[in-house]
């Protein structure tokens, strides 16, 4: 089966150790996590993890079932890129000298619709939010001028279809 | 209300959960709880094992014979890490267990304090749930959750780690509410009525249906529902090693064991049946052999409480989610009465071949060294299928499970999924304490016995009347068998020079005897059974016997070998 990029969305309780428990599921199966983010979701005190992995269809189904099985996981879903709206943010720290000296760099920033976040006497910081290809493109362009630092966030995404997580919470009246 | 300490709260939680037996081992970080155990000893009885691994296996044996949650307790650091094997065993064999560990004071967490170890991190992949308590106020809610999680749905082990300061902390008020629901946890999935209908159609039209049942039938207390189901439908039923004893051995539809050392008929006929009903089992690789050639011709109906097991190893044509106690009852009304006489007879034909080639030769052996099967025969003759069998891991385990007669459920206790040598001795006295009225017989190899041999001390101290049979072939027999068959008899480190087991038992003041001759076997087994108290019988077995049938690993169930 072909390996493709899947985005896993996990709704969880807010507990110490849960990240460890979830990542252990990938470790046990020798699967590399490509990116991971976590933040409070649209429901107070319920957290949402977004994990990107490159696996085949059979693997993603089994992974998500194992994740969903964990006691403090409320629900887990997987989506292909077509089924989600997703973004990443990248930060680029460049020497200030380059900005003033090279007109070229200002054009690059403008063309790629990046923002200058901070300008300091010796460096400035550029931010770009978008798809991987876009942040990568900007990275390659700025690299020539000497990047002091570069960092990219994990993917954040929302699914196109609803995930009906609140319904899930209400329906659980076991025993 | 007067204030109580966190440690006292722990004991009160146990009392609320009707725990009257704990297996454990004390140490610095859990001492406040032990101090309370001293005060509450008339309500909660603590059994001091000789190693924390023994405490977990004893708790497992207790859980499996009693149907209750087993509880093990240990100190931080090495005490906690010694629990890990038993926890992993309970996880893979779905045994309800709560483990309690002491932990260094919360202000020392992460400082590499004396006997600090990250037992939460270590136990995460092998627990159903775990939690570190750092405040006394958390105790009652966490304990309630722990017991609920351990025993509900697909059971499993839970670990609670309690910092020492939380044990000392004074609580303003203690209140205990049993946990009945956790919003993020669906213990039993809903059953889709459509799946029952589809299954009943497949079953009603089947010409050669076969059931393979597992421990789910026992864990779900669904033995009666299961019997009603097979008797109405007339479907032959085979067991996995953990499903053993759910149906009496003599039942005409009980066609034996599946898997690597299972019976000939059910293995071969797995690849001839037209509908395979997997009931409370998870298609372990020791059951299926090579998946590429496992029951490909059959429609598969999978009864499961754990959705993550569905389509994990074998794709189900129909998945019936839920507790088998309910789903089998519901399905019973949809299936037609039937008899599959010709098909059931096929199992008998295969049995007859196996009898001639394997069973008769070892079960009714008359010359040469003693066989393991003969010993089990003698046990059968002297106990009539009424005892609980506890086995360790290896050749003796396969032989004992194949040949022991059972009349009632919850009578077979073994380490299946993890294959933990050293399991049997502690599990045996745990089982005896869990069901004191029944005879408990532990069948153990000379290798595995020496992995938890120190638990003879616990048996002596508690006077738990377990009957221990060491099948001594002076080899790590199962490994030696593989070396013989697949590594050209290169017996690398499998021969054992053993101590005098009888003398060791005597050292622990346990009655003991050694048997070497066939003429003495039956008499000595009888003496052991009749003895009032713990007893150890060492039986010298033919050194290089092999266990057959056997499906070499990676082969198809059809290629099960008889020699
Ligand atoms: C803790 C542990 N270590 C190693 C093994 C691998 N192993 C499986 S069976 C076996 C041999 C068991 O020998 P013995 O206890 O003498 O029983 P026999 O097979 O001779 O009946 C070994 C070493 C295991 N299952 N568990």
């Amino acid at each position: 089966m072909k390996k493709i990029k899947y985005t896993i969305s996990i709704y969880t309780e807010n507990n110490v150790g849960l990240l460890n428990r979830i990542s252990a599921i990938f470790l046990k199966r020798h699967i590399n996590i490509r990116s991971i983010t976590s933040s409070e979701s649209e429901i107070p005190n319920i957290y949402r993890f977004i994990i990107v992995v490159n696996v085949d269809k059979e693997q993603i189904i089994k992974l998500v079932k194992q994740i969903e099985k964990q006691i403090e996981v409320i629900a887990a879903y997987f989506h292909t890129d077509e089924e989600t709206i997703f973004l990443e943010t990248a930060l680029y720290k460049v020497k200030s000298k380059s900005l003033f000296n090279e007109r070229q760099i200002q054009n690059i920033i403008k063309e790629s619709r990046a923002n200058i976040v901070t300008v300091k006497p010796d460096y400035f910081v550029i931010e770009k939010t978008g798809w991987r290809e876009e942040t990568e493109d900007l990275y390659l362009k700025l690299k020539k001028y000497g990047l002091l630092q570069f960092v990219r966030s994990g993917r954040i995404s929302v699914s196109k279809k609803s995930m009906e997580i609140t319904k899930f919470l209400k329906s659980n009246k076991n025993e | 209300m007067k204030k109580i300490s966190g440690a006292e709260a722990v004991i009160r939680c146990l009392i609320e959960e009707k725990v009257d037996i704990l297996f454990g081992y004390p140490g610095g970080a859990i001492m406040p709880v032990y101090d309370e155990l001293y005060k509450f000893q008339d309500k909660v009885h603590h059994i001091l094992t000789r190693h924390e691994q023994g405490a977990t296996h004893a708790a497992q044996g207790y859980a499996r014979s009693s149907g209750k949650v087993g509880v093990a307790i240990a100190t931080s650091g090495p005490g906690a890490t010694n629990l890990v094997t038993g926890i992993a065993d309970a996880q893979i064999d779905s045994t309800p267990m709560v483990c309690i560990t002491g932990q260094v004071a919360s202000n020392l967490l992460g400082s590499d304090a004396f006997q600090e170890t990250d037992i939460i991190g270590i136990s995460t992949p092998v627990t159903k749930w775990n939690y570190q308590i750092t405040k006394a106020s958390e105790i009652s809610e966490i304990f309630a959750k722990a017991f609920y999680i351990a025993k509900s749905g697909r059971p499993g082990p839970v670990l609670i780690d309690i910092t020492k300061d939380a044990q000392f902390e004074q609580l303003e008020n203690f209140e205990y509410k049993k946990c009945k629901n956790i919003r993020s946890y669906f213990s039993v999935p809903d059953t889709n009525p459509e799946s029952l209908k589809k299954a009943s159609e497949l079953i009603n039209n089947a010409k050669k249906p076969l059931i393979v049942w597992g421990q789910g039938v026992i864990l779900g207390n669904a033995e009666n529902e299961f019997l009603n189901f097979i008797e109405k439908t007339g479907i032959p039923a085979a067991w996995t090693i953990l499903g053993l004893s759910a149906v009496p051995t003599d039942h005409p539809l009980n066609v034996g064991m599946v898997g690597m050392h299972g019976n000939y008929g059910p293995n071969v006929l797995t690849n001839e049946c037209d509908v395979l009903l997997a009931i409370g089992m998870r298609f372990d690789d020791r059951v299926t052999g090579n998946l590429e050639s496992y029951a490909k011709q059959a429609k598969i109906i999978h009864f499961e409480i754990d959705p993550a097991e569905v389509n994990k190893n074998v794709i189900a044509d129909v998945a019936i989610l839920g507790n088998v106690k309910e789903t089998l009852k519901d399905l019973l009304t949809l299936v037609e009465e039937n008899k599959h006489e010709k098909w059931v007879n096929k199992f008998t034909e295969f049995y007859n071949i196996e009898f001639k080639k394997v069973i008769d030769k070892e079960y009714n052996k008359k010359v040469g060294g003693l066989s393991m099967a003969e010993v089990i025969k003698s046990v059968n003759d002297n106990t009539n299928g009424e005892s609980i069998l506890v086995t360790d891991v290896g050749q003796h385990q396969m032989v004992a499970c194949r040949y022991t007669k059972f009349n009632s459920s919850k009578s077979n206790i073994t380490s299946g999924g993890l294959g933990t040598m050293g399991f049997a001795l502690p599990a045996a006295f745990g089982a005896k304490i869990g069901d004191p009225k029944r005879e408990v017989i532990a069948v153990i190899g000379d290798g595995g016995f020496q992995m938890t041999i120190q638990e003879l001390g616990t048996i002596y101290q508690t006077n738990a009347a377990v009957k221990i049979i060491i099948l001594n072939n002076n080899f790590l027999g199962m490994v030696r068998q593989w070396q013989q068959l697949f590594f050209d008899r290169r017996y690398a480190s499998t021969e054992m020079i053993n101590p005098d087991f009888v003398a060791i038992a005597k050292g622990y003041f346990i009655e003991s005897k050694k048997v070497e001759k066939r003429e003495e076997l039956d008499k000595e087994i009888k003496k052991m059974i009749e003895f009032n108290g713990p007893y150890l019988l060492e039986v010298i077995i033919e050194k290089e016997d092999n266990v057959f049938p056997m499906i070499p690993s990676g082969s198809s169930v059809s290629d099960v070998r008889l020699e």
Side-chain angles (χ1 to χ4, degrees):
Chain A
M1 250 186 276
K2 215 176 91 223
K3 288 190 179 182
I4 64 164
K5 215 182 290 157
Y6 286 101
T7 304
I8 304 173
S9 293
I10 312 167
Y11 286 89
T12 73
E13 298 291 357
N14 174 18
N15 277 353
V16 179
L18 200 50
L19 172 60
N20 193 8
R21 191 166 270 282
I22 291 169
S23 65
I25 291 169
F26 295 84
L27 173 62
K28 184 175 174 186
R29 291 161 183 78
H30 200 92
I31 291 169
N32 204 353
I33 292 175
R34 297 188 52 142
S35 91
I36 179 165
T37 58
S38 158
S39 63
E40 198 166 0
S41 72
E42 65 273 19
I43 307 155
N45 224 14
I46 286 181
Y47 272 66
R48 178 156 172 197
F49 288 81
I50 298 195
I51 299 178
V52 181
V53 283
N54 211 28
V55 292
D56 65 38
K57 181 89 186 256
E58 194 184 318
Q59 280 177 307
I60 192 72
I61 293 172
K62 290 180 186 175
L63 270 172
V64 167
K65 280 185 178 177
Q66 292 296 335
I67 293 167
E68 198 154 60
K69 176 169 155 173
Q70 304 308 314
I71 303 292
E72 283 149 342
V73 168
I74 297 157
Y77 306 87
F78 66 90
H79 296 104
T80 60
D81 283 357
E82 293 71 42
E83 295 166 329
T84 57
I85 316 279
F86 60 92
L87 290 170
E88 293 170 351
T89 291
L91 295 177
Y92 312 76
K93 183 174 168 186
V94 188
K95 274 201 208 106
S96 293
K97 251 195 354 231
S98 328
L99 183 67
F100 303 124
N101 296 352
E102 314 259 359
R103 285 201 62 93
Q104 196 55 20
I105 220 171
Q106 303 197 19
N107 285 340
I108 293 172
I109 295 170
K110 228 198 249 155
E111 274 164 25
S112 57
R113 295 208 217 138
N115 298 310
I116 298 179
V117 189
T118 305
V119 182
K120 289 272 146 80
D122 46 350
Y123 67 86
F124 63 100
V125 177
I126 302 166
E127 169 270 338
K128 165 76 194 158
T129 296
W131 292 335
R132 169 64 61 95
E133 298 74 25
E134 297 173 303
T135 57
E136 186 70 15
D137 187 53
L138 183 56
Y139 167 77
L140 291 172
K141 283 180 178 152
L142 288 175
K143 209 172 136 192
K144 286 186 235 156
Y145 302 95
L147 275 171
L148 294 169
Q149 284 182 42
F150 166 70
V151 65
R152 186 154 43 207
S153 75
R155 170 182 288 199
I156 53 170
S157 90
V158 290
S159 64
K160 292 180 181 168
K161 279 204 197 122
S162 125
M163 291 194 267
E164 300 185 321
I165 189 76
T166 32
K167 214 170 82 185
F168 233 110
L169 282 176
K170 280 189 198 124
S171 76
N172 189 3
K173 289 268 155 20
N174 266 322
E175 285 174 65
Chain B
M1 192 190 138
K2 87 172 210 316
K3 287 186 181 177
I4 66 166
S5 69
E8 182 176 341
V10 168
I11 308 298
R12 288 186 182 234
C13 291
L14 295 175
I15 293 168
E16 292 281 350
E17 291 292 340
K18 304 211 159 41
V19 173
D20 47 11
I21 298 278
L22 295 181
F23 301 92
Y25 211 98
I30 195 73
M31 281 184 70
V33 172
Y34 271 79
D35 193 43
E36 294 300 329
L37 276 170
Y38 185 80
K39 296 178 197 155
F40 283 90
Q41 53 187 290
D42 57 324
K43 292 212 172 73
V44 184
H45 187 61
H46 177 270
I47 289 170
L48 177 67
T49 56
R50 295 304 185 260
H51 186 291
E52 291 85 354
Q53 183 186 351
T56 54
H57 295 328
Q60 290 179 277
Y62 176 88
R64 291 225 217 144
S65 74
S66 69
K68 293 192 266 187
V69 177
V71 184
I73 180 165
T75 191
S76 65
T81 55
N82 276 348
L83 298 175
V84 172
T85 302
I87 296 174
D89 193 288
Q91 171 84 340
I92 203 162
D93 278 353
S94 310
T95 309
M97 175 161 79
V98 170
C99 292
I100 303 163
T101 49
Q103 181 57 280
V104 301
S106 55
N107 64 326
L108 295 177
L109 285 172
S111 71
D112 299 326
F114 179 64
Q115 295 193 329
E116 179 187 4
T117 191
D118 173 17
I119 195 60
I120 293 294
I122 291 172
S123 67
T124 291
V126 290
T127 46
K128 189 170 171 186
W129 187 64
N130 59 10
Y131 192 89
Q132 184 172 64
I133 293 176
T134 53
K135 291 191 283 292
S137 58
E138 296 174 289
I139 289 171
S140 66
E141 189 196 330
I142 294 305
F143 270 76
K145 262 178 133 172
F147 277 87
Y148 172 67
I149 291 167
K151 72 184 167 214
S152 60
R154 178 177 181 179
V158 169
L159 181 134
I160 306 174
D161 194 35
I162 315 176
T163 58
K164 201 166 179 183
D165 52 325
Q167 298 171 44
F168 278 129
E169 195 186 329
Q170 295 293 310
L171 262 177
E172 291 297 334
N173 80 60
F174 174 83
E175 225 186 325
Y176 197 84
K177 266 215 320 269
K178 279 217 170 182
C179 177
K180 294 205 169 79
N181 177 40
I182 295 170
R183 68 173 183 173
S184 58
Y185 168 50
F186 292 76
S187 58
V188 182
D190 294 335
T191 310
N192 180 353
E194 200 56 37
S195 67
L196 292 171
K197 226 183 99 215
K198 272 207 211 134
S200 67
E201 282 160 14
L202 284 176
I203 293 164
N204 290 338
N205 291 315
K207 297 279 171 290
K208 296 190 285 182
L210 172 63
I211 288 171
V212 176
W213 89 81
Q215 197 190 195
V217 172
I218 299 171
L219 290 170
N221 291 312
E223 291 91 347
N224 286 336
E225 289 75 7
F226 184 70
L227 262 183
N228 291 342
F229 182 78
I230 62 173
E231 282 170 1
K232 179 168 181 187
T233 55
I235 302 178
W239 37 274
T240 71
I241 200 163
L242 287 180
L244 174 57
S245 86
V247 173
T249 309
D250 291 338
H251 194 286
L253 289 170
N254 182 344
V255 293
M257 174 159 81
V258 288
M260 183 172 272
H261 293 290
N263 291 102
Y264 191 38
N267 273 324
V268 172
L269 296 174
T270 295
N271 278 356
E272 286 181 31
C273 66
D274 57 358
V275 176
L276 182 69
L277 294 88
I279 305 186
M281 60 82 90
R282 61 185 176 87
F283 295 110
D284 179 79
D285 55 281
R286 282 295 191 266
V287 160
T288 63
N290 187 348
L291 282 172
E292 303 297 320
S293 51
Y294 181 79
K296 288 293 179 201
Q297 79 295 341
K299 293 273 186 228
I300 311 274
I301 306 174
H302 194 176
F303 297 67
E304 247 307 335
I305 197 163
D306 177 1
E309 291 296 347
V310 174
N311 299 342
K312 191 181 84 177
N313 296 334
V314 171
I315 304 291
D317 294 281
V318 181
I320 301 181
L321 293 176
N323 184 339
V324 285
K325 194 172 179 69
E326 311 300 327
T327 54
L328 282 173
K329 199 167 64 193
D330 293 345
L331 190 57
L332 189 70
T333 59
L334 303 176
V335 291
E336 289 156 11
E337 242 177 85
N338 210 333
K339 284 204 166 53
H340 295 279
E341 271 161 2
K342 255 175 76 189
W343 169 237
V344 174
N345 280 340
K346 253 195 132 159
F347 289 84
T348 315
E349 284 165 30
F350 275 90
Y351 178 83
N352 292 338
I353 299 172
E354 186 183 334
F355 183 82
K356 233 174 93 192
K357 292 216 149 158
V358 181
I359 301 171
D360 192 35
K361 286 185 192 159
E362 55 187 28
Y363 199 71
N364 303 317
K365 197 176 176 190
K366 291 187 185 74
V367 289
L370 283 165
S371 74
M372 293 182 174
E374 284 176 274
V375 181
I376 302 302
K377 177 176 194 270
S378 174
V379 171
N380 284 338
D381 293 345
N382 285 288
T383 58
N384 249 325
E386 293 298 334
S387 52
I388 293 177
L389 171 73
V390 184
T391 46
D392 211 73
V393 173
Q395 292 184 314
H396 65 280
Q397 175 190 32
M398 294 301 132
V399 173
C401 290
R402 272 165 56 76
Y403 290 116
T404 301
K405 284 208 159 56
F406 293 99
N407 301 337
S408 57
S409 187
K410 295 192 174 61
S411 300
N412 168 53
I413 297 170
T414 196
S415 168
L418 205 64
T420 307
M421 284 172 72
F423 174 85
L425 191 62
F429 68 77
K432 181 72 187 174
I433 290 161
D435 197 349
K437 286 204 279 301
R438 296 190 62 193
E439 190 76 71
V440 172
I441 297 182
V443 176
I444 315 181
D446 47 311
F449 183 69
Q450 293 179 76
M451 282 210 174
T452 46
I453 192 168
Q454 69 280 4
E455 298 305 337
L456 288 173
T458 315
I459 291 171
Y460 172 56
Q461 187 167 351
T462 56
N463 199 30
V466 291
K467 307 298 160 68
I468 306 153
I469 302 176
I470 300 178
L471 297 181
N472 184 359
N473 51 12
N474 282 96
F475 264 113
L476 297 173
M478 187 57 97
V479 178
R480 188 210 53 74
Q481 174 170 348
W482 284 49
Q483 288 172 333
Q484 178 184 341
L485 299 176
F486 312 119
F487 295 89
D488 285 333
R489 288 180 188 261
R490 289 186 296 276
Y491 292 167
S493 296
T494 42
E495 189 159 15
M496 287 204 134
I497 298 184
N498 283 323
D500 180 342
F501 291 119
V502 172
I504 286 176
K506 295 249 153 87
Y508 282 100
F509 308 103
I510 291 171
E511 206 65 34
S512 182
K513 191 81 200 253
K514 177 171 173 174
V515 183
E516 291 177 83
K517 296 204 187 84
R518 180 162 287 112
E519 309 83 76
E520 289 167 10
L521 178 65
D522 209 50
K523 186 181 81 209
E524 291 302 335
I525 296 265
K526 191 166 182 297
K527 227 170 76 189
M528 173 189 80
I529 302 289
E530 282 168 0
F531 185 78
N532 188 13
Y535 195 100
L536 184 145
L537 187 70
E538 178 191 357
V539 186
I540 304 299
I541 297 295
E542 180 68 53
K543 284 185 82 162
E544 297 187 33
D545 274 352
N546 289 333
V547 182
F548 285 105
M550 178 177 194
I551 304 168
S553 56
S555 299
S556 158
V557 286
S558 311
D559 298 333
V560 53
R561 290 167 54 174
L562 290 176
E563 52 199 358

